Amino acid sequence: MTDLTSTVIDAHGGLDRYGRYRTATVHFRSGGALWELKGNAGILDSSTVRLGLDRQYASHSPFTAPDLHSSFTPERVAVENAAGDVLAERSNPRAAFAGHTLQTPWDDLHLAYFAGYAMWTYLTSPFTFAAPDFRTEELEPVTEDGATLRRLKVAFPSRIATHAPEQVFSYDESGLLRRHDYAAEVLNAGPAAHYSSDYQEFDGIMVPTKRRVHPVGEDGVAIRDIELVTIDIDHVEFS
């Protein structure tokens, strides 16, 4: 790990504490222009997602109906009822995004895959960066809104479903995440800047409770009057 990787992991709660937990249950509200563009408006207005911390797994509930939930892993995505009956499922779910653009509508399984991997990525970073098959490299710092941000380029292993193989995470002087840059391959819509703020401590882990995702213009500047995705976290329980 780079020195910056160790610094930011410690700032978010440390590997020792994070390693005590196997799951995280997150109550959140999500909005933004993306869901309407994809034909999924309202599904994640108020939701709970349960995440596996020792494996890549996520389940959103309710999902499309009060008694339904999603089930996500990199290899399979499904919609199930409370009894565990499978209503719809898809193997190799990433292949179903081939040829998509920002305007391509999503079915429920597209949404379950994207929302599953995205929330897993957000809630397990930066702790996953300590795994031996992640590669991290500190880049030159940048200044934004009067603050100096240290930047970490992260190369994700192929076993992880996420936005893109390489992503850049920018941290403030205290080591907390402030900006996350990526180009989501499944959207095929260009780069985005994902801002994190309003940190709270849950079970010893520091979590940003406000997230805003904006498109990035050709000049590299975030277009902040367009909110692609908003995430407001009400509570997180690690167990």
Side-chain angles (χ1 to χ4, degrees), residues 188-217:
N188 192 25
H194 180 146
Y195 289 88
S196 300
S197 61
D198 294 11
Y199 271 81
Q200 293 186 35
E201 182 180 325
F202 298 98
D203 299 312
I205 305 298
M206 296 298 292
V207 177
T209 61
K210 179 179 179 180
R211 293 175 173 270
R212 298 293 184 267
V213 183
H214 309 283
V216 173

Side-chain angles (χ1 to χ4, degrees), residues 57-227:
Y57 170 80
S59 177
H60 283 81
S61 62
F63 189 79
T64 70
D67 62 338
L68 301 183
H69 63 269
S70 66
S71 176
F72 154 82
T73 68
E75 299 82 18
R76 175 185 176 272
V77 66
V79 178
E80 304 170 350
N81 63 21
D85 300 320
V86 176
L87 279 69
E89 67 178 330
R90 178 176 290 149
S91 299
N92 190 19
R94 200 171 188 96
F97 294 88
H100 279 211
T101 69
L102 185 59
Q103 289 73 34
T104 305
W106 281 350
D107 62 25
D108 295 343
L109 295 173
H110 288 118
L111 176 62
Y113 179 81
F114 177 82
Y117 87 61
M119 290 299 286
W120 188 90
T121 297
Y122 305 153
L123 270 295
T124 60
S125 300
F127 304 102
T128 47
F129 304 166
D133 53 355
F134 277 76
R135 299 193 312 275
T136 60
E137 175 188 353
E138 184 169 3
L139 305 177
E140 289 296 318
V142 296
T143 300
E144 187 173 33
D145 298 332
T148 298
L149 301 177
R150 295 178 69 183
R151 297 188 299 152
L152 192 68
K153 183 172 73 172
V154 179
F156 286 72
S158 59
R159 64 180 174 86
I160 298 296
T162 188
H163 290 306
E166 289 190 351
Q167 302 171 42
V168 176
F169 297 76
S170 301
Y171 301 92
D172 64 19
E173 60 183 6
S174 65
L176 295 179
L177 179 67
R178 295 302 176 186
R179 176 170 167 164
H180 175 193
D181 285 80
Y182 50 80
E185 292 179 337
V186 299
L187 293 177
N188 192 25
H194 180 146
Y195 289 88
S196 300
S197 61
D198 294 11
Y199 271 81
Q200 293 186 35
E201 182 180 325
F202 298 98
D203 299 312
I205 305 298
M206 296 298 292
V207 177
T209 61
K210 179 179 179 180
R211 293 175 173 270
R212 298 293 184 267
V213 183
H214 309 283
V216 173
E218 294 182 359
D219 57 0
V221 176
I223 305 172
R224 299 207 195 190
D225 58 346
I226 299 176
E227 293 182 336

